[in-house]
Amino acid sequence: MTAPPRHSSAANADDSDGALRAAFRAAFERELGLSTQGATAEAALRAAAAACRDLLAERWARTQEEDAGPDGQRVSRRVHYLSMEFLMGRALGNALAALGLEAELRDSLAARGHSLPEVLEREHDAALGNGGLGRLAACFLDALAEQGLPAFGYGLRYRYGMFAQAIEGGRQVEQPDDWMKLGEPWELPRPELRYPVGFGGQVVIGADQRHHWQPAERLVAQAFDFIVPAHHSGHVATLRQWQARAAEPIDFAAFCEGDHAGAARHLVAADALNWVLYPDDSTDAGRALRLKQEAFLVSASLQDLIARHLREGQPLATLGARNAIHLNDTHPALAPAELMRLLLDEHHLPWDEAWGITTRAVSYTNHTLMPEALETWPVALFEQLLPRHLEIVYEINHHFLEEVRARFPGDEARAARMSLIDEGGAHHGERRVRMAALAIVASHRVNGVSVLHSELMVQTIFADYAALWPERFHNVTNGVTPRRWLAQANPGLSALLDTHIGTAWRRDLGQLAALNTQAADVALGAEFMAVKRANKQRLAERIKRELGLVVDVDSLFDVQIKRIHEYKRQLLNLLHVVARWQAIVDDPQADWVPRTVVIAGKAASAYQAAKLIIRLAHDIAATINDDPRVAGRLKLAFLPNYGVSLAETILPAADLSEQISTAGTEASGTGNMKFALNGAITIGTWDGANIEMAEAMGIENMFVFGLRADAVAKKLAEGYRPADQVRDNRQLQRVISAIASGTFSPGEPGRYRPLTDHLMAVDKYLLLADFADYVATQARVDALYRDRGAWAERALRNVAGMGWFSADRTIREYVERVWQA
């Protein structure tokens, strides 16, 4: 049974259009009047945000009252979504759309000489996430609100995000993303919500025979709320973020003795927990900080959950039945151990009852097929920071391995593979806690995020667990919110859809299918291409403003935007750019389809190969963009500091969407969905959600290339020899030679030998094996783009096929199969 919205209208007593506009206008005028700098665009932004926040806070209060139900007898199960990141993007545009106040603010700003776009551009992206994992979490909060479900997202309040990416001399340079330097007008401090979190120390057995953890370090988790509104009701979801505070004030004696730094050392250490998302874990200190962040998140969140449950007058026995705890990947996988600690040590439940509550509440989404990406922690570090949790993990493992051995008697190799403790086989003798295994054992449901990913998950990394509990594993394909990624990001296309198929798609994205019957209409195609060109013009202006590069808006915009990683194969994209450049230089008189290649994405600060790929992109761009022989028919633009707001400019402008990961490596992808929703055609491998997209829109409407997952596995098993691919392909030889010999780095000829040598010797992600098919498929792209009418028809069929890929559908599937909300 699906979960319909529980609020059919936003028109509650104080939400009538007139009252809402009047309340907003009064609050906006009041806040603007407090500005010491007059009615500047920045002051207008802060005033509008404060006015919207106050209105949303009223909706929040009503939502909490309604979600609790009469006398605490809530009907729906409350969802608690734990994630290390939530990539929310800018908030003002979304709030105005949800409240229906865009026109009101536009008029107020015009009276003061400002435009709405000018003010919206002043807002910084909230640096609470980095990539697809965080953006998915943000889409889910939006959909939870839209579906009218009682829901909290739980994360950390990062002061500097992961980092702000600058480019200096073609190199990525990481800088603090100081997004809150002028304050954060959207958050609602909750000073009354404070929970203790401990680290280190020892565990003693008391006279009561209970375990008593005596932490050596004590912090306090302080709550800050960010409200996520529905767009078609008065319901909201809550993103609750935790800020670490020291449990004790300054050491006053040390301060008086002149040791000012020492007096505050513990305050700085506590604050550092919130400084950076995914701190560099190549050092012992970095690894310890990451584990502390994860423990801090789950402890504060679960204490908050339990306190709310008890505050509603409910017994602990119903905690699992009334609350769903969902783990977004392995980062919050400590949650089962922490929940057991709270139930056992703080609330004195017996083991079996606590474990029953835990397994009924907890579920887990896996986002990777790469064994090296499944988090594990050294037992020694766990024991140092979380001694009580380690005891609980050992106890969970003891009961679990009893079940394994009973089911598979005599198979000690299987028991060793499945154990929550890796005894050292995979880590050079170092014992480690397997966090994904802990999440699986403690969850009643475990899902992948595309059909292929879920199939491979139970065939490869989790095969042993699936053999034990086949019913526990299932698939829920990801989705994206159409409210931000179509209605807000692409108002031109949204208006076109309203005109031709009506507005029902705004509530039910499946209504996009009605576009299929009109996709071949020549007039509609022309209108679509005019909207696309206007979006391309906007992106071209940004490229010129940020890079000083002039691009042809009538060229094919070929786009790849995602975090830089070898498996995502930005390097394959660059190999094609070089091949194309060489071909144009060889035959400059040919009728080349002009192409602008746009790349954006961050590389992890310690990921040297990815950072070298970014530098190569810049060196290639420096060579080809000013080559007179190319005459502007090929340009490469790398836009720095990729984030949600930049994506909102890029996605509507893209003609071609690059989704070219090695088959079997991308769990799902959501960028692929956003591109297609905005009328870009995909060139991609048979991987992740590309497959389901092709099936939904018709494979003939996607440019599919490359080896499929089974062929990749077979080639690697047979002994893949990448050098043979180069030997047998003259075009590929020239490309590799140009990069390796310093054509793009004449001052340092060997700069890119680490990349080319690795390709020739290893090529783990089979770039060279897929190169020829990729280049041939790009030629098919050129051929279609020459016929703009045919291109428009295929692009419109992409849009029409995206109805199923709404986050609203994804959330309904979680409700039906996982949360029973």
Side-chain angles (χ1 to χ4, degrees):
M1 183 177 72
T2 60
R6 294 165 55 247
H7 305 262
S8 61
S9 172
N12 294 308
D14 57 349
D15 263 7
S16 66
D17 288 348
L20 195 67
R21 287 197 299 271
F24 173 78
R25 189 162 52 247
F28 177 73
E29 297 291 346
R30 181 184 68 247
E31 293 291 336
L32 198 58
L34 296 174
S35 171
T36 60
Q37 297 179 332
T40 64
E42 289 78 10
L45 168 66
R46 289 193 293 273
C52 288
R53 181 199 61 207
D54 291 349
L55 295 173
L56 292 176
E58 294 174 7
R59 290 190 175 188
W60 185 90
R62 287 200 304 272
T63 295
Q64 302 317 304
E65 181 181 357
E66 292 168 3
D67 285 351
D71 302 319
Q73 299 304 310
R74 172 165 37 90
V75 175
S76 297
R77 204 176 186 207
R78 183 177 280 121
V79 176
H80 305 80
Y81 196 83
L82 275 61
S83 178
M84 284 302 289
E85 52 173 304
F86 289 85
L87 194 57
M88 303 304 296
R90 292 170 174 163
L92 180 57
N94 188 60
L96 292 171
L99 292 166
L101 293 171
E102 290 172 320
E104 184 69 32
L105 181 57
R106 184 180 292 108
D107 292 345
S108 295
L109 293 174
R112 292 167 173 80
H114 297 299
S115 69
L116 181 57
E118 174 195 7
V119 171
L120 294 176
E121 280 297 316
R122 294 296 197 278
E123 184 176 5
H124 291 279
D125 279 29
L128 302 173
N130 170 50
L133 187 75
R135 188 51 235 173
L136 181 74
C139 283
F140 281 5
L141 284 182
D142 175 277
L144 284 161
E146 190 72 10
Q147 295 299 301
L149 294 166
F152 277 77
Y154 282 111
L156 294 185
R157 182 176 179 260
Y158 300 107
R159 181 69 181 81
Y160 301 113
M162 191 169 85
F163 58 81
Q165 180 193 56
I167 302 296
E168 297 179 4
R171 295 183 180 92
Q172 172 179 289
V173 177
E174 300 88 22
Q175 300 172 342
D177 189 350
D178 198 6
W179 68 286
M180 287 194 287
K181 63 184 176 183
L182 298 178
E184 170 45 15
W186 291 103
E187 66 185 15
L188 292 167
R190 304 294 190 192
E192 74 282 7
L193 296 179
R194 297 165 60 85
Y195 301 101
V197 180
F199 296 104
Q202 61 182 344
V203 181
V204 298
I205 307 295
D208 57 2
Q209 297 304 303
R210 296 187 178 279
H211 294 255
H212 296 271
W213 181 24
Q214 300 172 342
E217 179 184 4
R218 297 177 187 272
L219 302 178
V220 172
Q222 168 73 59
F224 291 80
D225 284 354
F226 179 95
I227 300 172
V228 182
H231 283 238
H232 297 98
S233 78
H235 197 80
V236 302
T238 307
L239 170 56
R240 181 154 289 171
Q241 307 160 72
W242 299 110
Q243 174 69 50
R245 311 283 194 202
E248 301 295 333
I250 62 169
D251 183 335
F252 200 71
F255 185 85
C256 292
E257 293 169 359
D259 184 9
H260 300 155
R265 187 170 290 115
H266 63 297
L267 301 181
V268 175
D271 197 44
L273 204 73
N274 284 94
W275 282 353
V276 175
L277 166 65
Y278 302 140
D280 186 338
D281 61 356
S282 61
T283 65
D284 289 342
R287 285 187 286 275
L289 181 57
R290 277 211 190 191
L291 181 55
K292 290 175 73 172
Q293 284 182 330
E294 294 178 5
F296 184 79
L297 167 65
V298 302
S299 180
S301 303
L302 294 175
Q303 289 182 72
D304 189 53
L305 182 160
I306 292 172
R308 186 185 306 107
H309 180 78
L310 296 176
R311 194 164 57 244
E312 291 177 349
Q314 298 299 318
L316 280 176
T318 65
L319 185 78
R322 292 174 60 84
N323 297 277
I325 301 169
H326 199 83
L327 312 180
N328 189 29
D329 217 5
T330 54
H331 306 119
L334 190 63
E338 171 64 5
L339 183 56
M340 289 294 290
R341 184 191 73 81
L342 292 168
L343 296 176
L344 295 169
D345 299 355
E346 304 295 331
H347 296 281
H348 305 153
L349 266 60
W351 178 276
D352 288 346
E353 184 179 358
W355 185 243
I357 290 171
T358 298
T359 55
R360 183 165 187 182
V362 174
S363 51
Y364 161 54
T365 295
N366 169 267
H367 287 277
T368 182
L369 291 169
M370 299 181 183
E372 65 271 20
L374 298 176
E375 273 196 326
T376 63
W377 292 108
V379 166
L381 179 62
F382 225 86
E383 189 170 30
Q384 174 192 338
L385 293 178
L386 303 166
R388 178 58 178 139
H389 297 77
L390 185 62
E391 289 182 346
I392 291 170
V393 168
Y394 282 153
E395 185 70 12
I396 293 171
N397 199 38
H398 169 72
H399 293 290
F400 168 58
L401 290 181
E402 283 187 335
E403 182 176 355
V404 172
R405 290 183 173 114
R407 178 75 178 276
F408 304 101
D411 194 346
E412 285 304 305
R414 180 186 296 268
R417 292 194 306 269
M418 297 179 72
S419 172
L420 305 190
I421 307 298
D422 178 353
E423 298 295 343
H427 297 280
H428 310 291
E430 182 182 52
R431 301 177 71 232
R432 299 178 75 95
V433 181
R434 294 167 167 152
M435 302 307 292
L438 175 59
I440 293 169
V441 171
S443 294
H444 64 279
R445 294 289 265 167
V446 177
N447 71 279
V449 289
S450 72
V451 170
L452 177 63
H453 170 236
S454 297
E455 290 174 352
L456 293 175
M457 185 175 72
V458 299
Q459 293 169 9
T460 58
I461 54 173
F462 298 151
D464 288 324
Y465 304 98
L468 180 63
W469 299 308
E471 73 289 346
R472 189 167 298 191
F473 293 84
H474 66 120
N475 175 65
V476 181
T477 298
N478 285 341
V480 301
T481 170
R483 290 163 287 280
R484 179 175 292 270
W485 294 114
L486 181 52
Q488 292 171 50
N490 202 338
L493 179 56
S494 297
L496 185 69
L497 293 171
D498 289 346
T499 298
H500 287 274
I501 64 171
T503 61
W505 66 269
R506 292 177 180 267
R507 283 177 177 253
D508 174 10
L509 200 64
Q511 298 300 315
L512 290 179
L515 196 61
N516 257 322
T517 60
Q518 304 178 48
D521 182 87
V522 174
L524 175 58
E527 290 181 67
F528 169 80
M529 293 302 282
V531 169
K532 179 67 72 175
R533 192 179 192 281
N535 290 330
K536 291 167 74 172
Q537 182 65 50
R538 187 162 67 107
L539 176 57
E541 290 168 0
R542 180 156 186 166
I543 292 171
K544 183 179 180 181
R545 184 169 65 247
E546 294 197 11
L547 305 181
L549 179 65
V550 176
V551 301
D552 177 7
V553 294
D554 293 314
S555 65
L556 185 151
F557 276 27
D558 175 354
V559 181
Q560 187 177 22
I561 49 174
K562 51 187 77 228
R563 65 186 172 94
I564 310 298
H565 196 290
E566 288 166 283
Y567 88 84
K568 293 180 182 289
R569 302 205 297 189
Q570 285 90 352
L571 185 52
L572 178 60
N573 189 349
L574 294 177
L575 295 182
H576 170 250
V577 171
V578 173
R580 192 176 186 90
W581 170 68
Q582 290 173 333
I584 293 173
V585 170
D586 288 346
D587 189 6
Q589 302 306 316
D591 183 21
W592 294 98
V593 172
R595 188 179 292 224
T596 298
V597 178
V598 178
I599 299 176
K602 296 178 181 179
S605 58
Y607 193 173
Q608 296 306 315
K611 294 172 81 169
L612 194 57
I613 290 169
I614 290 175
R615 192 173 187 191
L616 174 60
H618 283 86
D619 279 344
I620 292 172
T623 301
I624 70 174
N625 287 346
D626 295 324
D627 188 335
R629 298 168 296 181
V630 176
R633 290 170 292 183
L634 176 63
K635 293 201 174 179
L636 171 60
F638 187 102
L639 284 165
N641 206 32
Y642 177 58
V644 174
S645 297
L646 180 54
E648 288 173 338
T649 299
I650 294 176
L651 287 161
D655 293 307
L656 186 68
S657 163
E658 297 271 354
Q659 307 299 329
I660 59 176
S661 54
T662 312
T665 61
E666 186 70 80
S668 169
T670 52
N672 47 6
M673 303 171 190
K674 296 164 197 166
F675 275 112
L677 190 61
N678 280 275
I681 301 176
T682 299
I683 180 170
T685 50
W686 202 245
D687 195 27
N690 290 355
I691 300 170
E692 289 148 271
M693 286 170 55
E695 291 169 348
M697 69 180 64
I699 193 172
E700 68 279 4
N701 295 307
M702 183 183 288
F703 293 104
V704 178
F705 77 95
L707 296 171
R708 300 203 175 186
D710 54 351
V712 167
K714 181 180 180 182
K715 183 173 281 290
L716 292 173
E718 290 175 348
Y720 173 51
R721 296 164 57 101
D724 292 350
Q725 306 292 325
V726 178
R727 182 197 62 204
D728 298 337
N729 186 321
R730 172 62 179 158
Q731 185 181 39
L732 184 54
Q733 287 177 30
R734 291 184 65 199
V735 170
I736 296 296
S737 176
I739 296 171
S741 64
T743 297
F744 304 105
S745 55
E748 187 185 345
R751 179 179 297 168
Y752 299 112
R753 287 299 296 269
L755 293 178
T756 56
D757 288 353
H758 184 77
L759 282 179
M760 294 288 286
V762 181
D763 191 20
K764 179 179 179 180
Y765 297 109
L766 282 77
L767 282 70
L768 304 184
D770 278 348
F771 174 81
D773 196 12
Y774 180 52
V775 171
T777 305
Q778 291 283 12
R780 290 168 46 213
V781 170
D782 286 341
L784 184 66
Y785 196 71
R786 292 180 192 279
D787 183 345
R788 299 302 172 90
W791 183 276
E793 178 182 347
R794 191 171 298 187
L796 286 166
R797 294 196 187 282
N798 273 254
V799 177
M802 292 309 296
W804 191 75
F805 298 92
S806 168
D808 298 342
R809 183 271 314 159
T810 306
I811 290 300
R812 288 194 295 269
E813 290 191 7
Y814 276 112
V815 169
E816 293 164 4
R817 300 210 297 268
V818 184
W819 303 329
Q820 293 88 42

